[in-house]
Amino acid sequence: MDEHFLLLYPKNPAWAPASLAPLLDALKAIGFLGAERGAALYSAGADYLGLVTYLGCSPQIALGDNEAATTIRVAGIFETPQFVQGANLKPPRCPRCRKPLKKPVVSLAASDELQCSHCGHAACACAFDWRHSACCARVRIEISNVFESEAVPGETLAACLEQASGEVWDYCYVRRG
Ligand SMILES: [Zn+2]
């Protein structure tokens, strides 16, 4: 069965914290992270629904500690940026001319170079705009049970991430089969 995730990640692929502790503490303090289920794996916290904005009119959200409920995993710190993509990967836009490229047929690594077929601009995969369908980062937060475009991080959560890290964060959706 496919699994659907909302991923949060710092926009700067090269950035990583010295330790995850300040980030985890800040996310616990606002009620985003709940009970710890395992290594860096948490249940959704008490204020989760005030921090993640669900866009549908009647989303099915299972919270709490049971097995099927939404979990939040903090992945990292990785030595180098990790390019994360799923079955829902979209054709990226060129960072220079903004035109769409063909969708890559193979799984990409962060250091793989892509060349724009319109303007010739060449850059690593991380530099392209994947339109919220992939990310490139040394640390990321994975929220399970979120379908593509079903929910976005709210302002309070975005501000908390920015304050705890000194970095602007972005989000994407990944579907894993
Ligand atoms: Zn281009």
Side-chain angles (χ1 to χ4, degrees), residues 94 96-99 116 118-121:
C94 170
R96 191 160 79 183
C97 73
R98 303 298 305 159
K99 288 181 180 158
C116 175
H118 306 284
C119 74
H121 181 64

Side-chain angles (χ1 to χ4, degrees), residues 57-114:
C57 26
S58 55
Q60 301 284 315
I61 310 164
L63 299 178
D65 296 332
N66 73 70
E67 202 150 308
T70 292
T71 59
I72 302 168
R73 180 186 296 282
V74 181
I77 304 165
F78 303 103
E79 284 284 307
T80 56
Q82 306 289 301
F83 189 81
V84 181
Q85 64 187 89
N88 58 312
L89 188 72
K90 289 182 176 159
R93 285 186 193 282
C94 170
R96 191 160 79 183
C97 73
R98 303 298 305 159
K99 288 181 180 158
L101 277 66
K102 278 205 181 95
K103 189 168 94 172
V105 291
V106 292
S107 288
L108 292 170
S111 56
D112 285 347
E113 195 165 89
L114 298 180

Side-chain angles (χ1 to χ4, degrees):
M1 210 172 85
D2 284 356
E3 290 189 293
H4 303 260
F5 297 88
L6 167 62
L7 270 52
L8 314 177
Y9 62 97
K11 274 190 177 180
N12 176 0
W15 180 84
S19 137
L20 287 178
L23 195 59
L24 296 176
D25 288 347
L27 293 172
K28 285 172 190 165
I30 60 166
F32 178 67
L33 299 179
E36 194 162 3
R37 294 182 168 220
L41 182 68
Y42 298 85
S43 296
D47 294 319
Y48 174 82
L49 289 176
L51 296 165
V52 175
T53 307
Y54 282 76
L55 306 167
C57 26
S58 55
Q60 301 284 315
I61 310 164
L63 299 178
D65 296 332
N66 73 70
E67 202 150 308
T70 292
T71 59
I72 302 168
R73 180 186 296 282
V74 181
I77 304 165
F78 303 103
E79 284 284 307
T80 56
Q82 306 289 301
F83 189 81
V84 181
Q85 64 187 89
N88 58 312
L89 188 72
K90 289 182 176 159
R93 285 186 193 282
C94 170
R96 191 160 79 183
C97 73
R98 303 298 305 159
K99 288 181 180 158
L101 277 66
K102 278 205 181 95
K103 189 168 94 172
V105 291
V106 292
S107 288
L108 292 170
S111 56
D112 285 347
E113 195 165 89
L114 298 180
Q115 186 167 24
C116 175
S117 50
H118 306 284
C119 74
H121 181 64
C124 72
C126 293
F128 284 76
D129 174 7
W130 295 93
R131 300 153 63 212
H132 297 299
S133 72
C135 70
C136 191
R138 294 180 58 199
V139 60
R140 63 178 186 269
I141 297 167
E142 302 191 348
I143 307 170
S144 72
N145 296 346
V146 181
F147 288 90
E148 188 157 11
S149 304
E150 185 188 32
V152 295
E155 280 178 29
T156 305
L157 177 57
C160 174
L161 289 167
E162 188 169 339
Q163 197 171 31
S165 64
E167 295 287 326
V168 176
W169 290 56
D170 206 347
Y171 64 92
C172 69
Y173 305 93
V174 168
R175 186 174 86 235
R176 295 184 178 132

